[in-house]
Structures are given as structure tokens and as C-alpha cells.
């Protein structure tokens, strides 16, 4: 008698060739709530592209074949170039073609910030790490307007949907990308401790020119065409525009020392660099570098919230897809009561994150509105703190739904493991948890925050008793907060209250009730999968079904 020892059965098929927008009902409802008149045709097309097996393979290859630094050419010339796999460039081309870097600045269409935010989320489900230069290009474009001459030359190329990876003069490129260089080894988040020096070097068509000498400890996407960097000028920390290739075609004095060997974010090149008399042009007044970087940071922090929300959705969709195909103990995993509890709990977290992130994106649509400006100022640190803090716990639980298969990467095919390694970066990048909590305290001094939050929460009054109690308690807590050690807890509770209120306006009762009872009412354990038996888990999981 012969036996087939390698017959494959009870192994789920991958989640591929699906439309990531069409299979995400919570995202569709959040779009209708925040931008009711938005044409979703472009989102559906991007959802189809991002969910395709072809693009998923590009994402795999870009993570397996990571960037490599080429410091010298074969003849000994210093070149400081980073070499990427062709799949990286395919992904970058798709992201720029979708306008993820410049839609809000192109002046076309309604609700451009929400459109761009949802597009960013859909692409994150495909491949998040290549979005670092995309996010930075989006964030620096408004700041660059402080130098009108530079912006006149670079602005149209920054919003162009063409992608050209070649290292050459900006005039010869149909589209360009930009990065940021702020962090130094001795200061980290404390950029005021920066020691890089900027010395005046005359004036030309781009304005006041300087030569910069110093270093940057974290310099992401070093192959961008230009960067906004911070350096010390005579009147203090100042923002400068520093191109990789100078207008005469020569290469600037930017030396890439090494690429960072990171936990995740593998397809993106992060580096340490030194500036050796690098030419740069002042952007804004001397001594105004910190306010400018905070404005840029606001937009990249939005992307951290959007990105983590999208990774949650991706991890959840893969977990549900796996458990509805895999059998154990005579039933599909998704039918097992404990697994159903875990999936429902994860679904609540995912939908709440999506709702909060897109509400924050909507706040950027109307900067002429005082309420929206204040909401953006408050929600940016709140959303980044809470959503990103939840990400790593979330992805670990989603990975566990797949057992050992979830933990194995297998030449880049193990997407859950890749998500798990990716999750911490959004919490750390652009200000870790403590920085976000302190930023919330600063925001409390910018206006009537308690009143603005009450206006946001008012439409949800009566939806759940636990939510009402939180709404009633927040004004006193905000007004009385004087101890920095409690700032994280306030950020958490503001986030939870807003998530509950948003779900009350966009989600079915089963979702709202279970979220409020668990997160706000205390009917919950200290790990995912500890919802009360009274929660309508079948309805919650069905809504999240990819």
C-alpha cells in the first residue's frame, strides 16, 4: 500500500485579485459620512489595482530584495546612490499615478484630502513602506511655498503624477519627490538640540543660499530629489531646501553613510547622512524651523494614523479569509465561538480606527473654519497616539488567528508577519507616544477644546449609556488636567469617546453597542477576544467580511 505524504488540503487560498475598496464596507460608510458627495470611481479603480495578485507580487519582491547602498562607482567616484529592485519602482509609479503625494495641492476635485486619505489607506494594504517618500512629499509641499522662487520651479513637479527615479536635474524630470531630514543622533525628537550648521553663501534666483555641515541620524528615502532639513543659522534653528542634484547638474554634498537595518519597513531605504558644505536655500525666516517642522509633522502624523488603520484592516481581512476556509475540530475556524469573539473584537478595533482616521482627514479640508482647525490640532496627536499604539497588539492577535502559518514569512509570502514587523514604525516615526501626549497638552491651550469636542460628540448622545458618561466627564477632565503624567490617559479617552461617537453615526447598532460596552463600559477583558457573550458577534464579523 502506498500513501501520499504531501497531499495538500485544508490550506486556505490567499486573499488576492479582490477589490480592496469594494470588500471594505466600514471604509465605504466612513467615506459617505466624511465626504458624502465624493465620486468613488477612482477609489474603486485603485482598490482593484491594490488588491491584484500582480501588484501583491511587486510588494513581496520589494520587501525580499531590499535597497542596497552604492557609495562608489567602479572607478572610485563617490556617487551615494541607493539601488532598488524594479518592483519598488513599479509600486512608486503606481502610488504617484494615483496622486497619493499631491492630490490636495493640485487644485482639482472636491474633498481632496479625504480622497487622498482613502487612497493612501488602500495602497497601504498593498505595500506601506514605499509610502514614506510619498507621505513626505505630501507633507513638505505646503511648507515649500515659504520660498516662492523654489516653489515656482518645483511645485508643478511635486504634484505631477509622473514618476522618474533617475538622479538628475529637476528641470529634466517630469515629476519629483521630496523627503525631510530633522533627527540628529544627540537629540532625537528634541530637534532644538540639533548641531548641523548653516553658513550664508550669497543669494541667487532661489533666494538666500547657505552651506550646511552636519549630519542626520534618521534620513528616510535618501534617493528623493530634494529635502527640507533643519540646521542652526545665526538666528536659530532654520528650515532649508536641499536638492540632491544642483541646478548646474553637479551632485550636492550629501553623503550617505549607511542604510538602517530596521525591524520592518524593509522596502524603504532609511539612512544616516552627513552634509559636507551642502548647498541649501532658506525656506521661511531664520529661527522659524521648529514651527515649520511641526506643520509638516502634522500631515505625516495624519498618515501614520491612516497607515495603521489600513494595516489593521489588511490584517483583519487576511485573518477572516483564513478562518473561513480552515477547519479544525470538525468546523471552520470562523464558526468556533472563541475565534468568532477574537474576530469580532478585532473588527470593532479596525472600524473604530478607520472612522477616527478619516474624521481627522476631513478636518484638513476646511482650514478656513476655526472649529475644523482646532479639531485637526487636537485629533492629530490623539489619533496618532491611540491608533498606532493599538496596532502592534492588533497585528499579533490577527497573526495568531492563522497559527504557525501566520508567523512564517516564506520568501515574502507571509503577509501577516510583514504587517507585524511594520506596525511599530508608525507609532515611533514623527513623534512617539509621549511626544503625542505632550502635543495634546499644547493643543489644549489653543482654544476651547472642551467645547469643540462636545460639539463633535453631541450627535451621538443617547446612543449608549457608557458613551454618554464619557461625554459628560471629558470637559471637567480637560479643564482640570495639570499633570503631564496623565496626558496619555486623556489622549486614550478622547480617542475612545470620538470613536464611539463616530461609530454611532456610521455603523450598525451591533458594532456601536459592542464597542461602547467593551471600550467605554468596561465589559471587556485585557486582551482581544474578551467581548461579552451579549455582543452580536455574527453581525459584527459579517460586516467586516472581505
Amino acid at each position: 500500500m502506498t500513501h501520499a505524504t504531501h497531499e495538500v488540503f485544508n490550506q486556505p487560498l490567499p486573499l488576492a485579485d479582490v477589490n480592496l475598496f469594494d470588500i471594505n464596507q466600514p471604509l465605504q460608510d466612513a467615506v459617505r459620512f466624511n465626504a458624502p458627495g465624493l465620486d468613488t470611481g477612482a477609489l474603486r479603480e485603485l482598490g482593484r489595482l491594490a488588491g491584484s495578485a500582480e501588484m501583491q507580487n511587486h510588494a513581496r519582491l520589494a520587501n525580499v530584495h531590499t535597497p542596497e547602498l552604492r557609495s562608489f562607482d567602479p572607478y572610485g567616484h563617490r556617487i551615494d546612490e541607493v539601488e532598488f529592485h524594479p518592483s519598488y519602482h513599479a509600486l512608486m509609479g503606481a502610488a504617484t499615478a494615483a496622486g497619493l503625494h499631491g492630490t490636495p495641492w493640485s487644485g482639482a476635485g472636491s474633498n481632496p484630502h479625504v480622497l487622498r486619505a482613502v487612497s493612501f489607506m488602500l495602497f497601504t494594504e498593498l505595500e506601506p513602506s514605499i509610502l514614506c517618500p510619498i507621505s513626505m512629499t505630501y507633507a513638505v509641499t505646503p511648507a515649500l511655498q515659504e520660498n516662492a522662487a523654489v516653489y515656482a520651479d518645483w511645485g508643478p513637479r511635486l504634484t505631477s503624477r509622473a514618476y522618474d527615479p533617475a538622479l538628475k536635474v529637476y528641470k529634466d524630470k517630469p515629476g519629483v519627490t521630496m523627503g525631510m531630514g530633522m533627527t540628529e543622533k544627540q537629540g532625537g525628537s528634541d530637534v532644538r538640540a540639533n548641531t548641523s550648521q548653516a553658513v550664508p553663501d550669497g543669494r541667487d534666483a532661489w533666494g538666500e543660499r547657505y552651506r550646511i555641515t552636519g549630519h542626520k541620524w534618521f534620513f528616510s528615502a535618501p534617493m528623493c530629489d530634494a529635502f527640507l532639513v533643519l540646521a542652526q543659522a545665526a538666528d536659530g534653528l532654520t528650515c532649508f531646501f536641499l536638492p540632491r542634484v544642483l541646478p548646474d547638474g553637479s551632485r550636492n554634498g550629501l553623503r550617505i553613510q549607511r542604510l538602517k537595518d530596521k525591524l520592518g519597513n524593509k522596502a524603504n531605504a532609511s539612512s544616516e547622512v552627513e552634509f559636507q558644505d551642502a548647498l541649501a536655500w532658506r525656506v521661511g525666516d531664520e529661527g522659524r524651523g521648529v514651527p515649520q517642522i511641526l506643520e509638516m509633522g502634522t500631515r505625516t502624523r495624519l498618515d501614520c494614523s491612516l497607515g495603521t488603520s489600513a494595516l489593521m484592516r489588511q490584517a483583519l481581512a487576511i485573518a477572516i479569509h483564513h478562518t473561513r476556509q480552515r477547519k479544525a475540530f470538525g468546523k471552520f475556524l470562523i464558526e468556533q465561538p472563541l475565534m468568532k469573539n477574537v474576530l469580532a473584537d478585532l473588527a470593532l478595533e479596525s472600524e473604530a480606527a478607520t472612522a477616527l482616521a478619516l474624521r481627522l482627514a476631513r478636518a484638513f479640508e476646511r482650514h478656513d473654519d476655526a472649529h475644523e482647525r482646532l479639531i485637526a490640532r487636537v485629533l492629530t496627536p490623539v489619533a496618532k497616539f491611540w491608533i498606532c499604539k493599538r496596532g502592534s497588539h492588533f497585528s499579533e492577535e490577527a497573526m495568531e488567528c492563522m497559527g504557525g502559518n501566520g508567523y512564517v514569512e516564506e520568501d515574502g509570502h507571509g503577509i501577516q508577519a510583514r504587517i507585524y514587523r511594520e506596525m511599530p514604525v508608525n507609532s515611533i516615526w514623527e513623534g512617539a507616544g509621549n511626544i503625542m501626549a505632550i502635543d495634546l497638552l499644547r493643543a489644549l491651550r489653543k482654544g476651547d477644546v472642551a467645547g469643540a469636542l462636545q460639539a463633535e460628540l453631541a450627535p451621538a448622545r443617547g446612543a449608549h449609556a457608557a458613551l454618554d458618561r464619557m461625554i459628560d466627564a471629558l470637559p471637567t477632565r480637560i479643564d482640570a488636567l495639570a499633570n503631564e503624567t496623565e496626558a496619555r490617559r486623556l489622549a486614550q479617552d478622547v480617542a475612545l469617546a470620538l470613536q464611539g461617537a463616530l461609530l454611532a453615526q456610521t455603523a450598525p447598532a451591533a458594532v456601536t453597542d459592542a464597542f461602547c460596552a467593551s471600550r467605554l463600559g468596561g465589559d471587556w477583558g485585557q486582551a482581544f477576544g474578551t467581548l461579552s457573550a451579549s455582543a452580536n458577534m455574527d453581525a459584527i464579523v459579517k460586516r467586516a467580511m472581505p
Side-chain angles (χ1 to χ4, degrees), residues 10 326-339:
N10 198 28
R326 178 86 165 179
K327 282 187 174 180
F329 309 111
K331 292 194 295 188
F332 287 108
L333 289 174
I334 200 170
E335 299 170 347
Q336 306 281 0
L338 282 173
M339 181 61 76

Side-chain angles (χ1 to χ4, degrees), residues 310-510:
L311 288 174
M312 285 183 178
R313 170 60 193 182
Q314 183 189 23
L316 172 65
I318 293 171
I320 292 177
H321 186 69
H322 176 92
T323 58
R324 68 183 175 187
Q325 299 179 77
R326 178 86 165 179
K327 282 187 174 180
F329 309 111
K331 292 194 295 188
F332 287 108
L333 289 174
I334 200 170
E335 299 170 347
Q336 306 281 0
L338 282 173
M339 181 61 76
K340 190 179 298 183
N341 196 322
V342 170
L343 295 172
D345 212 351
L346 292 174
L348 296 177
E349 194 75 30
S350 173
E351 181 160 357
T354 294
L356 181 58
L358 284 189
R359 173 61 187 98
L360 174 57
R362 172 160 59 98
F364 287 86
E365 300 282 19
R366 298 170 56 195
H367 265 282
D368 57 337
D369 184 296
H371 173 77
E372 293 298 314
R373 284 199 308 273
L374 186 56
I375 286 297
R377 182 68 183 84
V378 173
L379 286 198
T380 298
V382 164
K384 183 185 183 302
F385 169 77
W386 186 243
I387 294 173
C388 296
K389 273 282 170 275
R390 300 294 291 159
S392 294
H393 296 291
F394 186 104
S395 60
E396 187 278 331
E397 196 70 58
M399 184 166 55
E400 190 173 312
C401 292
M402 299 175 65
N405 285 346
Y407 193 67
V408 174
E409 296 199 56
E410 194 64 40
D411 195 29
H413 288 282
I415 300 176
Q416 288 286 30
R418 194 163 80 215
I419 294 171
Y420 183 68
R421 289 189 292 102
E422 187 75 18
M423 275 294 191
V425 70
N426 283 331
S427 187
I428 296 170
W429 189 51
E430 292 297 345
N434 288 345
I435 299 298
M436 293 301 97
I438 291 170
D439 200 37
L440 172 60
L441 296 185
R442 294 193 189 101
L444 298 183
R445 300 193 290 268
K446 298 298 183 181
D448 182 11
V449 172
L453 290 176
Q454 286 296 301
E456 285 291 306
L457 297 167
R461 279 193 177 274
H464 195 280
L467 178 58
D468 287 346
R469 288 193 296 271
M470 179 70 84
I471 293 173
D472 291 338
L474 277 180
T476 300
R477 291 182 58 194
I478 290 170
D479 292 340
L481 185 67
N483 190 337
E484 186 178 295
T485 59
E486 298 178 5
R488 276 187 172 224
R489 189 167 182 174
L490 179 63
Q492 164 195 287
D493 290 349
V494 170
L496 290 172
L498 283 163
Q499 286 179 326
L502 290 166
L503 293 179
Q505 298 171 79
T506 62

Side-chain angles (χ1 to χ4, degrees), residues 143 182 189-194 229-232 235-240 283 285-298 301 439 442:
M182 312 300 166
S189 296
D190 182 9
V191 295
R192 288 180 174 86
N194 284 10
V229 303
L230 291 180
Q232 299 286 354
D235 289 337
L237 202 61
T238 303
C239 185
F240 296 95
V283 177
D285 296 332
E286 281 195 6
R288 291 284 299 165
V290 171
Q292 285 180 287
I293 193 59
L294 288 176
E295 178 62 26
M296 290 183 279
T298 296
R301 288 167 180 176
D439 200 37
R442 294 193 189 101

Side-chain angles (χ1 to χ4, degrees), residues 6-38:
H6 291 286
E7 179 185 357
V8 178
F9 63 99
N10 198 28
Q11 285 280 18
L13 297 173
L15 183 62
D17 284 328
V18 295
N19 189 309
L20 296 179
F21 185 77
D22 286 346
I23 65 172
N24 192 340
Q25 189 63 49
L27 180 63
Q28 294 177 45
D29 289 344
V31 170
R32 276 191 286 270
F33 177 73
N34 289 287
L38 184 66

Side-chain angles (χ1 to χ4, degrees), residues 82-203:
V82 181
E83 187 175 276
F84 296 90
H85 189 272
S87 285
Y88 172 91
H89 296 302
L91 292 163
M92 283 292 294
T96 52
L100 304 190
H101 62 305
T103 294
W105 320 128
S106 64
S110 62
N111 301 109
H113 286 277
V114 173
L115 174 61
R116 186 259 172 192
V118 180
S119 301
F120 190 89
M121 293 177 72
L122 292 171
F123 206 96
T124 296
E125 289 194 57
L126 169 61
E127 168 45 43
S129 57
I130 69 102
L131 292 175
C132 179
I134 296 294
S135 180
M136 291 190 293
T137 302
Y138 161 69
V140 304
T141 298
L144 194 60
Q145 296 174 8
E146 296 269 350
N147 185 319
V150 172
Y151 188 75
D153 286 343
W154 285 71
R157 292 171 175 84
L158 285 168
T159 57
S160 167
R161 296 198 176 197
Y163 172 66
D164 182 354
L167 195 58
K168 55 188 178 183
V169 179
Y170 76 96
K171 292 183 295 185
D172 299 332
K173 301 188 66 166
V176 295
T177 58
M178 281 190 65
M180 297 185 289
M182 312 300 166
T183 306
E184 297 185 4
K185 62 174 70 77
Q186 75 282 349
S189 296
D190 182 9
V191 295
R192 288 180 174 86
N194 284 10
T195 60
S196 293
Q197 296 293 312
V199 178
D201 187 58
R203 181 180 177 85

